[in-house]
Amino acid sequence: MTRRDFDPATVTPDGRPAIKAGLFDATLGGPYRGSVNGEVLGTQITVLTYGNDEPGKGPVLHVHPYDEVFIVQEGHARFFVGDQVIDAQAGETVLGPAGLPHRFVNLGPGRLQTLDIHLSPRWIQTNLE
């Protein structure tokens, strides 16, 4: 299917160059975490990656003043977002709305890998545990 959602002639480039930034060191084995602030890329989003191989493990309960979108790339996770419990697997996304405490754990078996999009030019977080 061909997509033509807008007329390219209506968008003027703003002069920013393409930028590359390291998210994680792919040469290291084991679990990895990394982040790139949107400020580095000149955007309004910050990108994080999180992974672990241990069922039951994950980030501590925390909260952000902006929305966060989790993309499960590998494995199975259980998300705790406010009063909701959401199970998600590879290929699914979960929204953590601004101001709602959240955390997630690897349900196993095997690796959990996520890509987390923070809708902010900086990673801003308060841990609650």
Side-chain angles (χ1 to χ4, degrees):
M1 171 168 80
T2 301
R3 294 193 59 166
R4 295 200 49 85
D5 297 331
F6 73 100
D7 179 357
T10 65
V11 178
T12 303
D14 63 12
R16 291 179 298 156
I19 298 171
K20 177 176 81 171
L23 182 59
F24 61 91
D25 186 343
T27 64
L28 300 176
Y32 55 81
R33 291 180 139 172
S35 66
V36 175
N37 279 339
E39 295 166 327
V40 171
L41 298 174
T43 69
Q44 295 299 308
I45 64 162
T46 293
V47 180
L48 283 77
T49 184
Y50 174 84
N52 80 54
D53 297 298
E54 193 173 340
K57 296 293 183 182
V60 299
L61 185 68
H62 61 276
V63 65
H64 308 284
Y66 49 76
D67 291 346
E68 181 175 9
V69 177
F70 304 95
I71 303 162
V72 180
Q73 295 181 299
E74 183 179 347
H76 297 85
R78 176 161 291 149
F79 290 84
F80 302 88
V81 182
D83 293 333
Q84 290 185 277
V85 177
I86 301 169
D87 288 351
Q89 63 185 357
E92 295 181 322
T93 61
V94 174
L95 171 66
L100 275 183
H102 56 272
R103 68 184 182 89
F104 59 91
V105 296
N106 181 349
L107 284 181
R111 183 167 187 75
L112 170 64
Q113 187 64 56
T114 67
L115 188 65
D116 309 333
I117 308 298
H118 291 230
L119 298 169
S120 170
R122 293 186 298 121
W123 181 4
I124 304 167
Q125 176 171 309
T126 295
N127 291 348
L128 302 173
E129 293 181 335

